[in-house]
Amino acid sequence: MEHQLTIYNTLDRKKELFVPLHAPHVGMYVCGPTVYGDAHLGHARPAITFDVLYRYLTHLGYKVRYVRNITDVGHLEHDADQGEDKIAKKARLEQLEPMEVVQHYTIRYHQAMTALGVLPPSIEPHASGHIIEQIELVKKILDAGYAYVSDGSVYFDVVKYNKDHHYGRLSGRNLDDVLNTTRELDGQEEKRNPADFALWKRAQPEHIMRWPSPWGEGFPGWHAECTAMGRKYLGNHFDIHGGGMDLIFPHHECEIAQSVASQGDDMVRYWMHNNMITINGTKMGKSLGNFITLEEFFTGAHPTLTQAYSPMTIRFFILQAHYRSTVDFSNEALQAAEKGLQRLMEAVAALKKIAPAETSSKEVDVQGLRARCEEAMNDDLNTPIVIAQLFEGARLANSVAAGHLTLSAADLATLRETFQLFCFDIMGLREEKGASDSREAAYGKVVDIVLEQRLKAKARKDWATSDEIRDALTALGFEIKDTKNGFEWRLDK
């Protein structure tokens, strides 16, 4: 396949030309949510980032199998290997079955993703539905000599693995760093080394979710699920594994170790990680208690928020930054994103009304605009540059609508196609009906009638009446723009 898509491979820490293992097929696995609470802004970023990648690979002609898992067992509260299962804790506190918690928050997650314009993955496996595959993975690692059984639990032997392979390739750590920074926790006496991680945990009597295994009743370790499910649905070797940067260590580092230990070589060719959403410079997340749920953004029902923000405003806000850059939340930044998105949508509306001319103005370069959008996407999904180019397209559309420039039929079609492809198909934005749109709909016919009277006054050269109508509407919050075809208006916020 002829293209020049380059992506930043976290494993090699450099941009690489993307060449899939089985062109034109691409296997992509992205770590999904642990469903024990409502999705927040931190969940939105990886979902949107890899949704854009999924859309763009599909646009390039690849057949993409996109797997995004649901973590519903094994993710412990205090540490990857210690503490209470997050879902089990939620079930105990609310006196529900764990799968009731899972079902409730999975539905809520899907609703939030739909609102954000995130396409559903090809496959969405649940960890609890793949216990057999995880047990088989543990058996293979034991058979290879890189794990050991301890009091009904099975641990990965990091020190032994590191003698034959390098543990820490993805995160850039060496084993001494890992050993020196591993916290001392209760229950660590089961391990030979503090850095060893659980492949299977023996269930304590009070533990709700448990399954039989060769080592006794228990549940899988958090890291095992993605390796087992990735292998099941994408094979022993697949192209892309993605997730948030906070998963690089220990989760994805452990995944690499598990895959190499169980099959002898790397399972994943390209590792991609999005950076964090921050609030006042600190990572936003459930564990820190500083998160704002997506539902709260959509309704404005959070004390930090000065207003509600639409799903497309949230999506546009995230896409304004490169996926490997941090995004710091503030009401001011979201309000700026809201206004920017509105300008783009107004340009789209203007494009629909433009009539083509015989020729384009000499300074118009629509083909160059489209080429620059493609170049930005091919350069590690540089969505901020794409947005900048779309704003150039919006400026052009507004200039044509105002009669300052002309577009030929061919250039007009290309500009419309460019907005459709990059704004909607690839970036996943869509036109929304918000509060201002509802007010415009309510007053629209009346405003149109009044402005028609203004046009008639101008035709009569009755400038006093024309100005009086314009000034009265402006005072009410309407923005009036004269065009060569008549007028345009909108109701300012």
Side-chain angles (χ1 to χ4, degrees):
M1 180 168 291
E2 295 293 328
H3 62 79
Q4 293 296 315
L5 172 62
T6 59
I7 60 176
Y8 184 88
N9 190 347
T10 311
L11 187 61
D12 296 328
R13 294 172 184 79
K14 64 181 181 182
K15 289 182 184 177
E16 297 180 3
L17 180 66
F18 177 71
V19 182
L21 292 169
H22 306 292
H25 298 272
V26 171
M28 182 169 79
Y29 190 102
V30 175
C31 289
T34 303
V35 283
Y36 69 101
D38 278 334
H40 56 74
L41 193 61
H43 290 123
R45 191 165 196 196
I48 291 170
T49 295
F50 292 100
D51 180 63
V52 169
L53 177 59
Y54 181 30
R55 289 168 178 268
Y56 192 57
L57 289 171
T58 302
H59 160 70
L60 291 176
Y62 291 112
K63 182 177 176 60
V64 184
R65 177 174 287 175
Y66 176 18
V67 181
R68 185 186 66 206
N69 71 295
I70 295 290
T71 297
D72 57 0
V73 66
H75 198 170
L76 304 185
E77 185 183 14
H78 302 304
D79 182 78
D81 298 335
Q82 299 297 324
E84 190 173 3
D85 187 289
K86 293 180 178 181
I87 291 170
K89 180 181 179 180
K90 187 82 170 182
R92 177 175 55 78
L93 292 175
E94 298 188 6
Q95 296 184 320
L96 298 171
E97 283 291 328
M99 288 303 115
E100 286 184 273
V101 173
V102 169
Q103 182 76 356
H104 175 76
Y105 288 111
T106 299
I107 290 172
R108 300 272 291 176
Y109 176 75
H110 288 157
Q111 290 170 339
M113 293 304 104
T114 299
L116 289 170
V118 174
L119 298 175
S122 313
I123 304 171
E124 191 173 55
H126 288 232
S128 62
H130 295 78
I131 301 298
I132 293 173
E133 288 82 2
Q134 292 173 80
I135 289 174
E136 289 303 310
L137 171 67
V138 177
K139 286 180 180 178
K140 287 181 179 178
I141 297 173
L142 278 167
D143 291 343
Y146 291 114
Y148 57 90
V149 180
S150 177
D151 196 21
S153 295
V154 183
Y155 290 97
F156 190 95
D157 194 332
V158 171
V159 172
K160 184 173 182 180
Y161 173 84
N162 192 62
K163 290 178 181 177
D164 301 326
H165 310 279
H166 178 196
Y167 180 79
R169 287 186 297 140
L170 185 64
S171 59
R173 308 183 186 204
N174 59 52
L175 187 56
D176 289 337
D177 294 334
V178 176
L179 291 172
N180 291 335
T181 57
T182 301
R183 293 180 298 165
E184 289 294 332
L185 297 167
D186 293 339
Q188 295 288 319
E189 63 274 2
E190 289 184 355
K191 301 181 181 183
R192 293 177 182 172
N193 295 285
D196 295 348
F197 58 89
L199 298 169
W200 184 265
K201 285 287 291 182
R202 176 174 60 89
Q204 298 298 325
E206 67 277 7
H207 199 90
I208 304 173
M209 292 187 283
R210 57 176 66 215
W211 290 265
S213 79
W215 317 286
E217 283 202 342
F219 55 95
W222 171 39
H223 311 305
E225 63 178 273
C226 293
T227 305
M229 293 189 291
R231 177 177 290 156
K232 178 179 178 64
Y233 294 110
L234 299 174
N236 287 351
H237 303 96
F238 59 89
D239 302 295
I240 299 171
H241 196 319
M245 192 174 288
D246 56 332
L247 296 178
I248 290 177
F249 187 88
H251 185 48
H252 289 165
E253 196 72 76
C254 294
E255 279 199 63
I256 290 176
Q258 288 171 161
S259 65
V260 173
S262 60
Q263 68 183 39
D265 61 358
D266 283 312
M267 181 181 292
V268 178
R269 188 172 185 188
Y270 298 93
W271 287 87
M272 295 181 67
H273 294 90
N274 63 273
N275 214 318
M276 298 295 101
I277 299 279
T278 59
I279 179 167
N280 298 322
T282 303
K283 174 196 165 187
M284 180 183 287
K286 281 192 174 76
S287 60
L288 298 174
N290 64 349
F291 66 94
I292 304 172
T293 69
L294 291 172
E295 181 67 20
E296 288 169 333
F297 275 106
F298 301 159
T299 61
H302 190 280
T304 307
L305 301 175
T306 59
Q307 65 178 78
Y309 297 99
S310 74
M312 285 301 103
T313 297
I314 300 297
R315 186 175 180 110
F316 188 72
F317 168 67
I318 288 172
L319 291 175
Q320 281 183 304
H322 189 267
Y323 76 91
R324 288 191 288 111
S325 301
T326 57
V327 176
D328 197 50
F329 156 78
S330 70
N331 280 285
E332 293 76 14
L334 279 168
Q335 288 162 4
E338 184 177 58
K339 291 178 181 177
L341 179 61
Q342 184 180 7
R343 288 202 302 273
L344 279 186
M345 294 302 109
E346 287 171 354
V348 169
L351 272 174
K352 295 176 182 177
K353 300 176 183 177
I354 290 173
E358 288 188 11
T359 60
S360 295
S361 300
K362 63 180 180 180
E363 58 264 54
V364 170
D365 182 17
V366 176
Q367 294 293 342
L369 175 69
R370 176 173 180 139
R372 289 189 292 275
C373 288
E374 292 173 346
E375 182 181 359
M377 285 303 300
N378 285 335
D379 184 17
D380 198 27
L381 309 181
N382 203 327
T383 57
I385 300 299
V386 175
I387 289 173
Q389 293 303 320
L390 290 174
F391 276 126
E392 282 297 307
R395 183 190 61 77
L396 173 59
N398 292 331
S399 294
V400 174
H404 303 313
L405 296 172
T406 60
L407 280 175
S408 67
D411 278 345
L412 178 58
T414 298
L415 187 57
R416 287 171 175 167
E417 290 168 3
T418 299
F419 268 88
Q420 179 62 45
L421 176 60
F422 290 96
C423 188
F424 300 117
D425 297 346
I426 292 173
M427 301 256 277
L429 298 169
R430 65 171 181 263
E431 297 180 76
E432 293 181 304
K433 294 296 180 183
S436 63
D437 300 294
S438 298
R439 282 179 289 169
E440 286 176 7
Y443 302 132
K445 291 184 179 180
V446 175
V447 175
D448 285 342
I449 291 170
V450 172
L451 288 174
E452 289 290 349
Q453 295 303 312
R454 179 172 176 264
L455 279 181
K456 291 178 182 179
K458 290 176 67 177
R460 298 192 307 268
K461 297 186 178 181
D462 182 356
W463 309 120
T465 300
S466 171
D467 290 347
E468 184 181 0
I469 292 172
R470 183 199 60 207
D471 293 344
L473 288 173
T474 300
L476 291 172
F478 292 92
E479 181 179 310
I480 312 301
K481 182 187 295 184
D482 292 318
T483 70
K484 66 177 183 179
N485 297 320
F487 57 82
E488 293 178 359
W489 65 267
R490 69 185 178 91
L491 183 59
D492 280 340
K493 293 189 174 182

